[in-house]
Amino acid sequence: MESPLYWILGLLFPMHVCAYPNGKVQSACSSMEPNHGVKAQTSPAPYNITVNQTVFKVGDKISVTIQSVAIPIEGFFLQARAASNGAKALGSFHTTDDTMQTLNCSTTANSAVSHTSEDEKSEVQVIWEAVGTVDVDIKMRATVVANKTVYWVNILGPKLTYESSVASRLMVPPLSTQIFCNFFIVAFILSK
């Protein structure tokens, strides 16, 4: 049985580590900080984010995997944000099992996904769907927690290119081609 002294000390000097073992981290929607009472790691993250396709259009469903390179994943928080400024969660996530849950971090439902328990895992896989106002290039951004005091914020995945931006780049010929064509048009007109 614990001594009453432990209870008194616990009440007088509460720990400043406020973890979210159930993954309900809506307070982290904008900063992606889990508020564990310690600062995020600044070393390269021992995790990789991969996707099964890098070009998308509205309605596409993309498989996203966070994989441990060295340290197991105890918790995670994942969003898709614009590649340019990354201020707002975009699209909608679908979970693949009961070890994860979706969260609402924007006007689009299920715009983020996180863990449901602190059980260690070597990887997590979710489905991201390009719904709502997803008409820009995006990057997946994650916070991954190794334990209550060791975590990495803003781990970036590969850039996903919005299909219309690919089409617009393909439709505009390079400047050298434009100059070459203009030269022949002028030469043709002058030869008449």
Side-chain angles (χ1 to χ4, degrees):
M1 186 177 221
E2 293 183 25
S3 163
L5 179 62
Y6 289 123
W7 285 101
I8 293 169
L9 290 174
L11 292 172
L12 292 175
F13 303 104
M15 291 187 68
H16 292 285
V17 176
C18 301
Y20 294 92
N22 64 4
K24 294 191 184 288
V25 291
Q26 251 137 336
S27 63
C29 280
S30 58
S31 70
M32 298 192 76
E33 277 285 342
N35 300 317
H36 285 188
V38 294
K39 292 189 184 290
Q41 300 296 305
T42 56
S43 61
Y47 308 100
N48 290 326
I49 301 174
T50 57
V51 293
N52 68 333
Q53 67 186 68
T54 56
V55 176
F56 73 96
K57 61 186 179 306
V58 173
D60 279 359
K61 292 182 178 178
I62 297 173
S63 176
V64 182
T65 303
I66 303 173
Q67 188 171 35
S68 166
V69 175
I71 303 172
I73 301 165
E74 193 173 279
F76 74 97
F77 180 69
L78 178 68
Q79 294 179 343
R81 294 186 179 191
S84 58
N85 65 12
K88 177 181 155 191
L90 300 171
S92 182
F93 285 95
H94 304 278
T95 59
T96 56
D97 61 46
D98 62 358
T99 64
M100 56 194 80
Q101 64 194 331
T102 57
L103 302 166
N104 298 333
C105 283
S106 70
T107 55
T108 305
N110 308 323
S111 55
V113 65
S114 72
H115 58 282
T116 57
S117 75
E118 54 190 340
D119 294 341
E120 290 184 349
K121 43 210 148 289
S122 60
E123 73 173 35
V124 293
Q125 186 175 47
V126 297
I127 305 298
W128 178 76
E129 185 175 2
V131 297
T133 56
V134 181
D135 56 358
V136 295
D137 297 346
I138 65 151
K139 282 193 174 189
M140 294 294 160
R141 295 173 188 258
T143 293
V144 180
V145 176
N147 60 57
K148 289 178 181 67
T149 60
V150 178
Y151 65 93
W152 287 262
V153 173
N154 205 29
I155 302 168
L156 296 177
K159 181 178 177 181
L160 279 71
T161 305
Y162 179 60
E163 193 172 75
S164 78
S165 60
V166 170
S168 67
R169 285 195 290 268
L170 294 175
M171 292 174 60
V172 177
L175 183 58
S176 60
T177 304
Q178 292 175 11
I179 292 170
F180 185 73
C181 290
N182 290 342
F183 173 76
F184 277 105
I185 291 170
V186 170
F188 178 76
I189 292 171
L190 292 175
S191 69
K192 295 286 179 186

